[in-house]
Amino acid sequence: MFKNKKINTYENILLSIIFFLSFSFLGIAQNDQDLIPLKSMAPDGIGPLSLPHLRHMVLGSAFVYNGDCPDLFIAGTGKTTELYLYKWLRNTENGVPIFDKPHKIASPFKLKGTIFQTDDHNVHALWLKKDSVIHTVFNLKKQSFDRIGGIELPELASLPQSIAARINKDQSVDLFLELVGHSIPAKYANQNPSSKEWRPYDEAGVSTTPLHYTYLCNIRYPRLLSGTPSVKQMVTHSRKETRWGMMNIAMVTLRKNDMQELICGSRLGNFTYYSRPELSQDTLSPRHYVVGSDNILLQHPSISASVCSYVDVKSGTTNIIAGGEGAVYFYKYSGEFTLDGHPVFSQPSPVLQVDADLYCGTLPVPSVIDWDGDGIEDIIVGNSDGHVLFFKNIGNNNNPRFIPKGRVQADGKDIHIQAGYSGSVQGTPESRWGYLSPTVVDWTGDGLPDIIMGDITGKYTLYVNKGTRTEPKLDAPQPFFCEGLELHGMWRSRAAVAKFGNRMALAIVDDNDLFHLYWKIDNFHLEDGGELKLENGSSILTSAEPAGGTGRCKLNFFDYDGDGLLDLIIGTGRRSAIPNMETGYPLPILGKKTMGTPLFMKNVGSSSYPVFAHPSPFKHPVTGLVQPGGSHESGAVGTKLGGGTQRNLLVGNEVGRLYLLKGEHLELMTADEVKKYRNKPNPFPGFPHPGEK
């Protein structure tokens, strides 16, 4: 009896330990849920295909799993480069392919390349490594590309940037290589960004950004990367074919018996087309363009359009799939050419996958609002493409579930803002970026959600909702005015909007890179309310660097600590220093290694006029310092969405995911905790910073 009692005691102790550990792990698991991006709740979780990287290179397609349509290889590029294989599952009614979840493929070669399939069903990959080409073959069992050989290329005018390969009927192989044809030495080397030499535009507003063009050459080998090359020649008619790079080259078949057709992408989103003239075996025809059914050049929705061929099994011709910075898109070939010789393709449709994350495009800036008047809060997101997306909540406010509903329109067409020639402080290569930062709020006081937009240009515009509560309909954008001048601030920033006392207020990052308050006079006119201040009376600076390092902050008024006063939630980038370089975050936290970091600034003023305490970063029990990922700014808003304490954070990261972080799992870092993260002052020596002595 005593023995049994002793055993039971041990058992009880063991069970208690297990019970305790179980709850501990459950707690960690629950916290881990905060770290999982929001998923698409469409049937099968279908949503736009995306990768956990800032940019995508579509490298090729092949029948790996013997489906009715090819599978897809995509490289995600950024600080790291990883290769993924997407298994084809089915097509939509419109022929858009739907793929399975991505599967990471082992490959030691992390540079640019091309992937293609030969008649023996082997899947080959050629990888550029300086002036060499490495030849690999896909091993399905090992899920890897195994090296089988390589060659040194003959002397070329410059190192190749992209590669494509074509197996001819006599088994000879043509390599098409993208080369830099004309360049101006980079002016940024050893230049202070605040210097005159660094400025992207001259006094007349003309770009001084270094230009480079690329062109195509052809090298022919008797067999696949073996033997002595018999041909080495330029095959485009000019060394100034594509400005800022072709990004990738796709071998396509659009016409019968034409074995050397190519479609190339571009940084700015056009697609160029080259075919082989009937009377020539080598030189390609002059450049043509991929156009839509309206005979207007197709432009990829995002920048840096990399392209690969995607065979249409029924017709034997080739569609194309293109990636870049943002979603991956499908273009269906119509089978037709214009009278001018341009191939006609469909308008781009996002390539889809099952079990997809709620993908927003890169650098997403979310707002939480009941957009369609059903009493449930939705998400409106701006992105770097210059579009605004609507994600409908089909769950409820405590347990939200979102499906993508497409782009938000204004004045009957998709909102699409881009920098244009001179709209970016970083020069004309950024002409296709928009960096939209919407604030969705009832600005006009009619009970309908309007949009106040910040963008790449530093302008702030108002989209008035002229629809109904259940069917929003935005008017064309109108500028704000203050004392007769259009309101202008720093680029890539979002305005915070709220009512203080009985007056609507709008806070922005102004032209001096300071937090600034404006009072509403009417829908389009504002009164200067002065700079927002810290409790010690100092201004709140946002920048650590000149030029492109300015602005970028995403501001949001929200009562995060529940004291009845509206605080500031700030989404920052790694280059930010708030309120100044000496004591600001996030830059000094981790120096050059820091990432975009949401910050909290407590309102220590009043309900009629805010004054703020020094910012505090957020910490999470699993990850520590909350940094959603990436060096670019994080879009962050306080929200009641998700229930719990109703003081939660919705945060976007640079690769297009959204994270709903529960308030009960978040804490504010103390000054002592921040100290251990602090780096030496000014991690960018040589650049003058405010507050530096």
Side-chain angles (χ1 to χ4, degrees):
M1 228 174 129
F2 180 78
K3 186 176 181 181
N4 288 337
K5 186 174 180 181
K6 190 174 182 179
I7 290 173
N8 289 338
T9 301
Y10 288 148
E11 288 176 346
N12 289 336
I13 293 172
L14 181 60
L15 287 172
S16 297
I17 294 171
I18 293 172
F19 185 77
F20 173 78
L21 291 175
S22 297
F23 267 84
S24 299
F25 286 126
L26 283 172
I28 293 173
Q30 180 62 41
N31 290 341
D32 276 341
Q33 296 303 310
D34 287 345
L35 309 178
I36 299 174
L38 296 178
K39 307 290 288 187
S40 172
M41 292 300 158
D44 294 329
I46 291 175
L49 179 149
S50 58
L51 288 173
H53 297 76
L54 189 61
R55 297 178 182 88
H56 311 135
M57 294 289 292
V58 287
L59 297 183
S61 60
F63 291 90
V64 176
Y65 297 106
N66 297 314
D68 294 336
C69 294
D71 310 298
L72 190 64
F73 291 92
I74 302 180
T77 66
K79 291 183 178 180
T80 61
T81 300
E82 294 176 324
L83 182 61
Y84 296 84
L85 171 59
Y86 289 81
K87 180 182 179 180
W88 176 84
L89 297 177
R90 61 185 185 276
N91 293 336
T92 68
E93 293 181 356
N94 297 324
V96 178
I98 303 173
F99 296 94
D100 203 353
K101 297 177 291 186
H103 181 73
K104 189 182 292 188
I105 300 299
S107 175
F109 312 106
K110 299 183 178 181
L111 301 178
K112 293 181 179 180
T114 184
I115 296 174
F116 58 95
Q117 194 164 23
T118 49
D119 292 339
D120 58 6
H121 302 295
N122 283 323
V123 180
H124 302 261
L126 304 180
W127 307 96
L128 291 171
K129 188 175 182 181
K130 296 184 178 179
D131 56 356
S132 300
V133 178
I134 298 169
H135 183 195
T136 64
V137 172
F138 184 62
N139 187 320
L140 180 59
K141 186 177 181 179
K142 293 170 56 180
Q143 294 285 291
S144 65
F145 277 97
D146 299 335
R147 180 169 182 168
I148 62 171
I151 57 165
E152 287 190 9
L153 294 168
E155 184 178 352
L156 299 169
S158 63
L159 294 178
Q161 305 300 306
S162 303
I163 184 172
R166 183 76 183 209
I167 311 294
N168 301 313
K169 291 181 178 180
D170 61 357
Q171 297 305 303
S172 65
V173 176
D174 283 307
L175 296 185
F176 292 91
L177 300 168
E178 176 195 0
L179 303 180
V180 177
H182 176 72
S183 63
I184 300 174
K187 63 181 178 177
Y188 304 120
N190 301 317
Q191 294 289 344
N192 189 316
S194 63
S195 68
K196 180 179 179 180
E197 290 77 15
W198 190 92
R199 295 173 189 169
Y201 308 100
D202 63 18
E203 289 79 3
V206 177
S207 174
T208 60
T209 302
L211 301 180
H212 73 257
Y213 295 84
T214 58
Y215 68 99
L216 294 175
C217 80
N218 171 221
I219 302 175
R220 183 170 298 162
Y221 289 86
R223 293 291 184 270
L224 184 57
L225 296 196
S226 65
T228 303
S230 59
V231 173
K232 189 185 79 171
Q233 63 174 359
M234 189 176 93
V235 293
T236 48
H237 292 245
S238 169
R239 284 184 167 82
K240 291 186 176 183
E241 285 292 295
T242 303
R243 183 177 290 181
W244 293 307
M246 294 179 175
M247 310 312 299
N248 218 7
I249 309 167
M251 303 296 308
V252 298
T253 300
L254 304 184
R255 293 186 276 204
K256 294 180 179 180
N257 300 321
D258 195 338
M259 300 298 292
Q260 288 188 344
E261 296 178 294
L262 294 91
I263 289 178
C264 304
S266 74
R267 177 181 174 88
L268 298 184
N270 290 330
F271 299 103
T272 51
Y273 164 74
Y274 303 91
S275 66
R276 185 185 68 187
E278 293 181 3
L279 299 179
S280 174
Q281 295 295 317
D282 300 317
T283 303
L284 299 177
S285 67
R287 176 179 60 188
H288 288 83
Y289 296 94
V290 173
V291 302
S293 59
D294 54 5
N295 204 13
I296 295 176
L297 272 64
L298 289 176
Q299 200 167 46
H300 196 56
S302 60
I303 58 97
S304 300
S306 69
V307 62
C308 82
S309 61
Y310 195 77
V311 66
D312 188 312
V313 177
K314 292 182 179 180
S315 68
T317 58
T318 308
N319 305 313
I320 57 175
I321 289 177
E325 184 176 311
V328 180
Y329 290 86
F330 174 76
Y331 298 78
K332 185 175 178 58
Y333 176 51
S334 69
E336 300 178 350
F337 283 77
T338 69
L339 295 176
D340 296 326
H342 306 303
V344 180
F345 282 74
S346 68
Q347 295 293 325
S349 298
V351 175
L352 303 172
Q353 74 169 83
V354 299
D355 193 30
D357 293 336
L358 205 67
Y359 185 70
C360 308
T362 56
L363 277 61
V365 182
S367 281
V368 178
I369 193 81
D370 177 11
W371 182 246
D372 54 8
D374 61 0
I376 304 172
E377 293 195 318
D378 311 298
I379 299 176
I380 300 293
V381 182
N383 61 29
S384 61
D385 293 350
H387 293 106
V388 180
L389 308 179
F390 169 39
F391 297 96
K392 179 175 175 60
N393 187 352
I394 61 171
N396 54 54
N397 291 333
N398 290 334
N399 297 289
R401 302 168 66 242
F402 297 98
I403 59 172
K405 297 294 287 184
R407 296 170 181 165
V408 176
Q409 294 192 332
D411 198 26
K413 54 183 179 290
D414 293 347
I415 294 175
H416 195 197
I417 300 173
Q418 296 180 320
Y421 181 86
S422 59
S424 171
V425 299
Q426 297 189 151
T428 54
E430 288 210 332
S431 62
R432 291 284 322 280
W433 273 276
Y435 299 127
L436 298 198
S437 299
T439 303
V440 189
V441 64
D442 179 14
W443 175 257
T444 61
D446 60 0
L448 304 179
D450 312 298
I451 293 181
I452 294 174
M453 191 76 74
D455 59 40
I456 188 172
T457 67
K459 298 178 181 178
Y460 290 91
T461 52
L462 173 64
Y463 293 78
V464 176
N465 189 349
K466 296 289 186 67
T468 66
R469 190 64 192 92
T470 57
E471 296 184 4
K473 186 177 181 180
L474 299 178
D475 208 354
Q478 298 292 328
F480 288 104
F481 290 89
C482 181
E483 298 180 4
L485 289 177
E486 288 189 24
L487 184 67
H488 192 276
M490 286 297 178
W491 76 326
R492 298 171 64 163
S493 297
R494 177 177 60 196
V497 182
K499 183 174 286 187
F500 289 93
N502 295 318
R503 300 187 71 181
M504 288 291 287
L506 180 146
I508 68 169
V509 180
D510 67 18
D511 281 331
N512 295 315
D513 226 16
L514 300 171
F515 287 11
H516 205 118
L517 190 72
Y518 295 87
W519 296 108
K520 176 183 176 182
I521 299 175
D522 58 37
N523 290 344
F524 305 105
H525 295 86
L526 305 169
E527 181 182 4
D528 194 341
E531 298 170 6
L532 289 172
K533 301 288 187 179
L534 295 176
E535 55 188 323
N536 64 5
S538 62
S539 302
I540 306 170
L541 184 71
T542 68
S543 175
E545 300 178 67
T550 57
R552 296 175 178 260
C553 287
K554 318 302 182 185
L555 308 185
N556 170 238
F557 286 129
F558 184 75
D559 180 12
Y560 186 79
D561 57 8
D563 65 355
L565 301 179
L566 290 171
D567 312 300
L568 264 178
I569 305 295
I570 310 166
T572 69
R574 71 167 180 88
R575 304 164 85 174
S576 300
I578 301 170
N580 58 58
M581 187 60 199
E582 288 188 336
T583 61
Y585 312 134
L587 192 61
I589 294 177
L590 296 175
K592 292 182 179 180
K593 296 182 179 180
T594 195
M595 298 183 290
T597 305
L599 302 176
F600 166 76
M601 296 188 76
K602 180 178 174 60
N603 183 0
V604 295
S606 67
S607 59
S608 59
Y609 196 91
V611 177
F612 297 100
H614 194 279
S616 300
F618 294 90
K619 65 178 182 179
H620 190 279
V622 176
T623 62
L625 180 67
V626 174
Q627 295 184 307
S631 62
H632 295 86
E633 59 271 28
S634 60
V637 292
T639 178
K640 297 179 180 180
L641 196 65
T645 64
Q646 296 191 337
R647 294 192 293 275
N648 307 318
L649 289 182
L650 181 66
V651 185
N653 68 358
E654 68 175 14
V655 300
R657 271 65 172 186
L658 298 178
Y659 297 83
L660 185 58
L661 307 180
K662 299 293 187 67
E664 57 260 37
H665 301 158
L666 296 176
E667 295 179 10
L668 297 171
M669 296 187 75
T670 65
D672 289 339
E673 288 177 309
V674 171
K675 286 180 181 178
K676 64 182 181 181
Y677 287 95
R678 293 283 304 263
N679 203 342
K680 297 179 181 179
N682 194 0
F684 294 91
F687 296 166
H689 295 298
E692 198 173 60
K693 299 181 178 162

